[in-house]
Amino acid sequence: MSKSLITVEKETGVFHLHNNEISYILQVEDENVLSHIYFGKRISRYSNHKQYLRRDRGFSGNVPGQALREYSKDTLPQEFSSHGSMDYRIPASIIKRENGSNLHDFRYDSYQVVAGKPALEGLPAAYIEAEDEASTLIVTLKDRDQAIYLDLLYTIYRDRGVVARSTKVRNETGGKISIEKIASMQLDLTNSGRFTDVLSLPGAHVRERHVARETLTNGTKVFESRRGASSHHMNSFVALMGQDANEFSGEVMGMQFVYSGNHRFEIEKDQIDQLRVLVGINPYNFSWELTQGEAFQTPEVLLVYSDQGLNKMSDTYHCLLRERVARGEHRDQERPILVNNWEATYFDFTSKKIEQIVDEAADLGIEMFVLDDGWFGARTSDNSSLGDWFEFEGKLANGLKGIADYVHGKGLKFGLWFEPEMISIDSKLYQEHPDYLMQEPGRTPSSSRDQHLLDMGRKEVRENIQQQIESILDSVPIDYIKWDMNRSMSDAYSIALAPENQGETAHRYMLGVYELLENLTTKYSNILWEGCSGGGGRFDAGFLHYMPQSWASDNTDAVERLKIQYGTSIAYPISNSTAHVSAVPNHQTGRVTSLKTRGDVAMCGVFGYELDLTLLSEEEKVEIKEQITFYQAVRPLVQFGTFIRLASPFEGNTAAWMFVDEAKSEAMVFITRVLGEAQPLFHEVRLAGLEPETIYTDMETGETYAGDELMNLGVYFPDFYGDFQTKLIHLKKQ
Ligand code: DGJ
């Protein structure tokens, strides 16, 4: 029998979740308050010596129901705090009852240990393939007076440094309750000296997921999205870091939210420098009503601990997201090298033009052609036709099927673009169903890119879109779909909901989108689905559950991509991150970089092209053929190998990272110097993750090196000349 992952000590009330890497310990304290004891590197045994120290703190009252002044919820580390019972730190929940009171005081009620990991109905989540892979502890708290229950779920995987957490609220009060805030996870850490810094991934459209690190000071720091999507602006991920933690050493704790809508991460450093971290659906514009007997399940948070810096944390996320969050036939398959016509033609294409691009693509060895925006309704610009998922009559001489057959006839796969959650005022769908548009009746809705959101919380809206998409998928042979979303949510109001339930609109939208994704991706499981939201505006673990890859950014500039791809790799696997070679001058920045530089950078992701292939010179064609052959050789390594960051583009003029396969018999190193330097420094980089005594051959030069030589002595950067220089070094075990 395999070793148990959860130890319960009834006399002391201690729950210890453990595997070979990590331990998570919680304890039922005096007065049945559920306290947090520890999360971090594995400990073999807990001797119950770290109970919270009692001390009278001025203006921090007693735990309600007992007289001891030294025992206060205001400073006690807890697993889930209560609002209104003398814990003045940020509350994990606010729940209103019919009398208007939002006071509660959650105490330990009961627990269960269940084998495996329960699915979270209607929500994306990490999963297991065999029951033995994980165990789940469910601790139930109950309000002191009212029959409001919280089930706190903790799943520990046997072979991963991760605990998955979520919360379920159950209403047994006999009346109604309204949830106004509910965290998926609370983590109270007693010693803030252990985690002094926080790393987040802020950005903007075409500048997604830049790395930001800052020191935590007293007060509350918030990272959030209020845009109805996980957003370009603040990714749904943060990590706590020790002061000296870096890519290779030190303690790091990552928190990744498996959700694609509004999120909020709150970190409070309290009066005695303890930390409280809360992660959950953003309480902004949120409420959820539960009648007697109803329950609300939050999305989950993936909590990862690393004692070897950021790289180890990232590797844990990469493996988990790739293997146990992403699903479907394409999860473990190498992804095709594609060419997308967006930056080649935008809306202005004909069958002839597409066929010319496809002819070139076939000659070059490209494996898939993707027809982007503009093939449907009467779409000639971004002003119309969203919601009309039928062919633009006359735009393609032989129709969509004609293009698909042409592409297949050339031996390529065929992919198509959709933006299913949107409606244009100028559309047939709007003429027939103006009420499908999300808005408050009588109030002019705010437009963005001339488009509006559909109220995806409504079943009839989803069904309409699903039927339209299915009729295309059933009549045209399609191998790939790009699922786009090109604006943020506004006018969050649903005509399907009563006035007091309007706060449910944004989350119901997300649940509706998830349902639609589940239906389509399971019915058309042969299709490779790619997420997109004006580039990387919904690049999150929730979407990854349905789509194993996502367009990282509309910014295809090779230099800007260094930061975007580096930042993205902190939390997401390379197999999730698509990267294309586009034309120069680059359409987003106007910068000119060489085809080599563009290729080298894009080959560090799921690779493709996005330029007019018919305009290439003969030399460029030769170079592209070489890029394709090279990428095909390293593709399993790049998409499924271990990724290691070596030098950050956020810290200087250089960057470096590498990929190593599981057997450590092959590696690819990427090196770049951004701007040319007179009297250049001798930049050098030490590799990592190799087998010390293995001899590796540089496949380009034939030179051989021992693994420990490359890792300890390192290598010089090439003597680069000029701006935007890159190099890929492909190493193989001799
Ligand atoms: C935004 C995407 O990120 C682009 O790649 C492209 O598909 C456009 N939308 C099309 O409207």
Side-chain angles (χ1 to χ4, degrees), residues 342 372-373 417 449 482 484 486 532 534-535 551 554 610:
W342 179 241
D372 210 277
D373 195 351
W417 179 96
R449 209 197 188 203
K482 178 173 169 189
D484 206 345
N486 285 301
C532 176
W551 182 220
D554 275 346
E610 187 153 340

Side-chain angles (χ1 to χ4, degrees), residues 449-520:
R449 209 197 188 203
D450 254 329
Q451 62 189 65
H452 300 267
L453 265 77
L454 288 164
D455 185 354
M456 294 306 255
R458 286 168 62 191
K459 198 166 189 296
E460 63 277 27
V461 178
R462 295 195 297 274
E463 279 173 357
N464 180 304
I465 297 300
Q466 184 171 334
Q467 277 162 18
Q468 290 196 61
I469 294 176
E470 286 191 1
S471 77
I472 295 283
L473 299 188
D474 292 341
S475 56
V476 181
I478 289 173
D479 307 293
Y480 157 107
I481 284 179
K482 178 173 169 189
W483 182 294
D484 206 345
M485 191 232 192
N486 285 301
R487 62 160 291 172
S488 302
M489 183 182 283
S490 69
D491 300 272
Y493 189 96
S494 176
I495 59 165
L497 297 173
E500 62 275 20
N501 298 111
Q502 287 304 324
E504 299 175 14
T505 307
H507 183 55
R508 286 194 185 277
Y509 175 94
M510 221 43 257
L511 293 178
V513 171
Y514 286 147
E515 189 188 292
L516 182 58
L517 294 178
E518 180 73 24
N519 292 347
L520 287 168

Side-chain angles (χ1 to χ4, degrees), residues 72-177:
S72 169
K73 277 191 167 194
D74 200 20
T75 48
L76 176 73
Q78 294 155 69
E79 285 298 315
F80 206 92
S81 55
S82 306
H83 173 248
S85 49
M86 278 265 165
D87 179 345
Y88 293 97
R89 292 171 289 178
I90 28 172
S93 68
I94 298 183
I95 301 174
K96 238 188 193 160
R97 285 176 276 120
E98 280 177 293
N99 67 356
S101 165
N102 60 13
L103 305 174
H104 40 81
D105 184 358
F106 292 110
R107 306 289 174 103
Y108 172 79
D109 180 74
S110 57
Y111 82 93
Q112 291 175 63
V113 173
V114 296
K117 182 175 193 296
L120 306 184
E121 213 194 315
L123 287 167
Y127 59 90
I128 50 170
E129 289 197 333
E131 204 175 70
D132 190 38
E133 272 183 33
S135 290
T136 300
L137 170 70
I138 306 173
V139 181
T140 298
L141 308 182
K142 179 185 169 293
D143 179 62
R144 215 152 43 100
D145 299 320
Q146 301 288 322
I148 302 173
Y149 293 89
L150 300 179
D151 296 329
L152 309 182
L153 279 76
Y154 303 80
T155 298
I156 183 163
Y157 279 83
R158 187 169 299 283
D159 298 315
R160 301 172 194 271
V162 59
V163 175
R165 292 190 53 186
S166 69
T167 309
K168 187 176 191 170
V169 187
R170 290 185 284 121
N171 175 16
E172 302 294 343
T173 60
K176 278 187 198 164
I177 60 172

Side-chain angles (χ1 to χ4, degrees), residues 684-688 690 692 706-715:
E684 50 189 322
V685 63
R686 292 203 265 180
L687 308 191
L690 301 170
D708 49 11
E709 214 182 335
L710 295 169
M711 293 192 291
N712 301 335
L713 207 62
V715 293

